[in-house]
Amino acid sequence: AGVLENVGFTARQGEVTALIGPSGGGKSTACKLAARFWDVTGGKVSLGGTDVSTVDPEALLRSYSMVFQDVVLFRDTVMENIRLGRRGATDEEVLEAAKAAQCDEFIRKLPQGYQTVIGENGSTIARALLKDAPVVLLDGATASLDVENESAVQTALSRLLQGKTVLVIAHRMRTVAGADHIVVLENGHVAQQGTPAELMEQGGLYRRMVELQSESAQWRLSGKE
């Protein structure tokens, strides 16, 4: 876990706040502090003006939908993994969430369809859709997807995020191009924050990351020729 010092930012309702920066900069730490996986040793994390350290963790987590790269997926069927988003959901509601998460077609191709025992990122997104919580935390949710599947999942995510308070950890600059607010974390500090346009104009780490990924994409494209 990264160590955060003197970090301050606000993720507003109805907006997507993106956390970016070098590996080990504190992005995942910030996201997990928001969900009270850990408590801060100094400062305060508040949700709607309430200090989260005063809220029972189980009650707090009911307000969050989370899609983390290292999310716990239970050894169970796809159907039951999705149903964890809202206990008591009907099979029909689970199917609707899977369709909205753009993973119904993929699931139906599995050996036993929805009864296949598997852990898959699409299931966690469908689970989050089914839960429909007011705060959404995404940590590298599309990092392992190819471009075609990524665009489908982005469509699902846009539906999931509508009107919510969203904190997203992104590794690809194109993922954050549409964010409302970007916080650049480096070595546990806020290096920059602002809109994508503001940060491009400022220069600094954000623009370097955008340019590096752009150069990398061009290099890969030329490498195919």
Side-chain angles (χ1 to χ4, degrees):
V3 177
L4 302 177
E5 291 182 29
N6 301 318
V7 169
F9 64 89
T10 301
R12 293 180 176 83
Q13 184 176 356
E15 291 187 2
V16 174
T17 300
L19 302 180
I20 69 163
S23 180
K27 301 183 298 294
S28 289
T29 301
C31 215
K32 287 173 180 173
L33 285 171
R36 207 188 167 194
F37 282 18
W38 309 305
D39 280 329
V40 291
T41 53
K44 185 168 74 170
V45 177
S46 59
L47 175 64
T50 301
D51 186 338
V52 297
S53 68
T54 67
V55 183
D56 176 69
E58 191 174 339
L60 185 69
L61 288 175
R62 284 198 286 272
S63 295
Y64 291 87
S65 287
M66 291 178 282
V67 184
F68 286 179
Q69 269 187 307
D70 56 354
V71 72
V72 176
L73 282 172
F74 297 96
R75 183 163 179 78
D76 206 335
T77 63
V78 173
M79 178 76 82
E80 293 310 313
N81 261 300
I82 296 173
R83 206 190 311 270
L84 284 170
R86 194 172 83 234
R87 295 185 189 282
T90 66
D91 286 359
E92 289 72 25
E93 287 171 325
V94 170
L95 293 174
E96 282 305 307
K99 286 173 186 171
Q102 309 288 326
C103 58
D104 177 71
E105 187 180 342
F106 162 78
I107 293 169
R108 291 188 183 280
K109 289 177 182 172
L110 296 174
Q112 283 85 43
Y114 279 83
Q115 300 310 312
T116 305
V117 175
I118 193 172
E120 173 61 37
N121 217 348
S123 299
T124 67
I125 294 169
R127 184 194 298 180
L129 277 161
L130 189 62
K131 186 171 184 180
D132 196 29
V135 180
V136 181
L137 305 178
L138 302 170
D139 184 353
T142 62
S144 61
L145 299 167
D146 57 47
V147 175
E148 183 182 342
N149 283 330
E150 184 182 28
S151 62
V153 172
Q154 291 288 6
T155 302
L157 289 176
S158 66
R159 177 171 167 177
L160 168 66
L161 308 184
Q162 203 164 5
K164 308 292 175 60
T165 301
V166 183
L167 194 59
V168 56
I169 294 175
H171 307 282
R172 297 175 180 176
M173 292 302 97
R174 70 169 178 268
T175 307
V176 300
D180 299 287
H181 189 74
I182 294 174
V183 179
V184 183
L185 289 172
E186 184 178 27
N187 299 322
H189 295 84
V190 175
Q192 294 176 283
Q193 60 177 312
T195 66
E198 287 168 349
L199 296 188
M200 279 302 284
E201 195 173 323
Q202 279 179 26
L205 183 56
Y206 175 76
R207 192 159 78 187
R208 285 204 304 276
M209 290 177 72
V210 170
E211 288 169 351
L212 276 170
Q213 289 209 1
S214 177
E215 286 170 12
S216 172
Q218 288 172 17
W219 180 83
R220 283 199 302 273
L221 186 61
S222 65
K224 290 179 182 175
E225 292 173 357

